């Protein structure tokens, strides 16, 4: 069987020419009051689906020329009406051509963007997971290194302080276990698994995270103020994941206040209960340089960061964690003239029962 190449386009061109010819004949034989030339817009709309933009412009120009020729060949009806209808037809042809070409260009841009996003997602999905785990595990690993150094110093003392060395070793084991839990949680978050939620005291968790960062805070001369009111109800969420969020916000605040030595080195961590009693808000405010221009709008974008050595995943992961635990996170200007990051968590049920997988 012989395959006929190009028969499809040839048929479409023939039908297009036939339609144009039919419109031209009808527009010519009828009187001025019938603006049959307006139907050229239908031809243009069909042509934009398979013709190149330059060809569509040529076709629209031909339709406009045929409209004028048809007007000159028509001799029945009111001449003034014919001028008005011809003008309307020419405007309709021009506007339709312009809008159709813009629409086709927009659709092509959307298609290209969708393909690029698909390729990027395929290439970077593994990289994102790896970078996420690396970023989140960095905190417990840093604590392990600090405790290991302390353990060595206590053992090297004369005489060795076995009791303090044992406590440092216990912290190493605890942080190693926390790193393992972080890996499991991040992998679960990346695979869409629900967090392991339960009731816990947010103030106690904050104090634990602050304790891990205390050496860095003291070494840099940072004034840290904690406002953790007693009597706050327990919150409901994944304690390990929320601990990572608190640690990330605290480390970001430390980096922010150290970025400009001329500014004050102050950080405030404030917990408060919502007026309706349904959620608890935690605010981490700093006296750093804050955000310039549109930086705050892009703060939670993946791989976008204001740090020279950052990878731009900390706040992206933090938002995913907070939202997965039923809260929300946002940024505001700090009363310390820097930035403030806030997030909410729902108050735990009265019975404190876990709702894993919800």
């Amino acid at each position: 069987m012989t395959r006929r190449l190009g028969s499809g386009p040839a048929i479409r061109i023939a039908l297009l020419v036939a339609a144009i010819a039919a419109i031209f004949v009808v527009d010519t034989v009828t009187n001025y009051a019938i603006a049959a030339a307006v139907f050229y817009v239908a031809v243009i709309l069909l042509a934009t689906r398979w013709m190149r933009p330059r060809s569509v412009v040529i076709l629209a120009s031909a339709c406009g020329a045929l409209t004028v020729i048809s007007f000159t060949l028509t001799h029945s009806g009111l001449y003034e009406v014919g001028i008005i209808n011809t003008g309307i037809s020419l405007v309709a042809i021009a506007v339709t051509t312009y809008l159709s070409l813009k629409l086709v260009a927009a659709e092509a841009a959307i298609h290209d963007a969708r393909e690029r996003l698909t390729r990027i997602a395929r290439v970077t999905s593994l990289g994102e997971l790896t970078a996420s785990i690396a970023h989140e595990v960095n905190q417990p690993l840093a604590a392990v290194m600090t405790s290991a150094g302390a353990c060595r110093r206590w053992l090297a003392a004369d005489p060795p302080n076995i009791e303090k060395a044992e406590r440092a070793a216990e912290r190493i084991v605890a942080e190693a276990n926390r790193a393992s839990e972080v890996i499991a949680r991040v992998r679960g978050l990346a695979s869409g698994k629900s967090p392991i939620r339960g009731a816990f005291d947010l103030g106690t968790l904050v104090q634990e995270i602050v304790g891990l960062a205390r050496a860095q805070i003291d070494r840099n001369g940072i004034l840290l103020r904690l406002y953790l009111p007693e009597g706050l109800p327990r919150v409901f969420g994944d304690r390990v994941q929320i601990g990572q969020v608190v640690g990330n916000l605290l480390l970001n605040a430390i980096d922010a206040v150290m970025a400009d030595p001329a500014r004050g080195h102050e950080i405030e961590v404030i917990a408060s209960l919502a007026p309706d009693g349904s959620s608890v808000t935690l605010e981490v405010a700093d006296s750093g340089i804050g955000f310039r221009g549109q930086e705050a709008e892009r703060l939670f974008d993946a791989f976008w960061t204001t740090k020279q050595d950052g990878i731009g995943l900390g706040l992206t992961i933090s938002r995913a964690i907070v939202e997965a635990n039923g809260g929300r996170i946002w940024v505001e200007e700090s009363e310390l003239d820097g930035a403030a990051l806030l997030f909410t968590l729902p108050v735990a049920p009265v019975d404190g029962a876990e709702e894993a997988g919800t």
Side-chain angles (χ1 to χ4, degrees):
M1 181 182 295
T2 304
R3 187 179 180 183
R4 294 179 296 175
L5 298 175
S7 58
I11 293 175
R12 287 197 292 264
I13 291 175
L15 292 175
L16 207 63
V17 172
I20 292 173
I23 295 171
F24 176 77
V25 171
V26 172
D27 192 36
T28 302
V29 299
T30 54
N31 61 42
Y32 289 130
I34 300 176
V38 172
F39 289 102
Y40 284 128
V41 300
V43 174
I44 295 170
L45 288 173
L46 291 173
T48 55
R49 311 310 300 177
W50 53 274
M51 293 179 68
R52 296 178 180 274
R54 184 176 180 181
S55 299
V56 173
V57 173
I58 294 173
L59 177 66
S61 300
C63 292
L66 290 174
T67 300
V68 175
I69 294 173
S70 177
F71 170 73
T72 59
L73 296 178
T74 301
H75 299 291
S76 59
L78 295 175
Y79 185 77
E80 292 79 6
V81 173
I83 293 177
I84 294 173
N85 285 342
T86 299
I88 292 174
S89 298
L90 292 174
V91 171
I93 291 171
V95 171
T96 301
T97 302
Y98 174 77
L99 294 179
S100 298
L101 292 177
K102 295 290 286 185
L103 179 61
V104 170
E107 290 177 350
I110 292 173
H111 179 73
D112 291 342
R114 186 180 295 115
E115 286 190 346
R116 286 197 298 270
L117 287 175
T118 301
R119 289 196 298 270
I120 291 172
R122 290 173 181 172
V123 172
T124 63
S125 58
L126 180 59
E128 288 183 5
L129 178 58
T130 303
S132 300
I133 293 176
H135 182 275
E136 294 303 297
V137 172
N138 184 60
Q139 294 178 29
L141 287 184
V144 167
M145 293 178 63
T146 301
S147 297
C151 184
R152 291 179 61 184
R153 287 194 299 273
W154 295 127
L155 290 175
D158 188 16
N161 193 325
I162 303 300
E163 182 181 354
K164 291 187 177 180
E166 286 179 348
R167 287 203 295 267
E170 290 173 358
R171 288 196 298 271
I172 291 173
V173 173
E175 289 304 321
N177 290 332
R178 189 162 77 95
S180 178
E181 291 178 348
V182 167
I183 293 175
R185 293 295 203 276
V186 172
R187 290 179 62 186
L189 188 66
S191 61
K193 293 182 180 179
S194 299
I196 303 174
R197 302 173 69 187
F200 65 92
D201 185 88
L202 184 59
T204 301
L205 177 62
V206 169
Q207 289 175 344
E208 292 177 4
I209 301 300
V210 169
L212 295 174
R214 176 57 67 181
Q216 186 176 359
I217 292 171
D218 294 341
R219 183 171 61 252
N220 292 304
I222 298 173
L223 175 60
L224 175 65
R225 290 187 289 265
L226 298 179
Y227 299 97
L228 306 173
E230 294 183 0
L232 279 179
R234 297 203 298 173
V235 296
F236 194 74
D238 189 314
R239 194 178 192 275
V240 174
Q241 289 186 350
I242 300 304
Q244 292 303 116
V245 173
V246 175
N248 184 59
L249 298 188
L250 184 58
L251 292 179
N252 283 349
I254 292 173
D255 291 340
V257 298
M258 297 308 300
D260 187 356
R263 301 176 68 91
H265 294 173
E266 299 179 54
I267 296 176
E268 291 182 348
V269 181
I270 307 167
S272 59
L273 181 65
D276 61 0
S278 63
S279 64
V280 173
T281 301
L282 188 72
E283 175 182 353
V284 180
D286 62 67
S287 60
I289 59 176
F291 303 107
R292 304 182 185 89
Q294 306 298 318
E295 288 181 351
E297 298 179 4
R298 301 194 60 190
L299 197 60
F300 298 98
D301 291 352
F303 299 108
W304 185 89
T305 179
T306 58
K307 302 178 184 178
Q308 292 182 353
D309 57 349
I311 60 175
L313 279 174
L315 290 177
T316 305
I317 297 171
S318 295
R319 180 175 64 178
I321 289 175
V322 170
E323 292 178 351
N325 282 276
R328 69 185 186 94
I329 186 170
W330 70 98
V331 61
E332 293 181 356
E333 290 186 1
S334 167
E335 293 184 358
L336 300 177
D337 295 329
L341 279 147
L342 305 89
F343 70 89
T344 62
L345 289 173
V347 169
V350 176
D351 56 7
E354 293 190 2
E355 296 182 11
T358 59

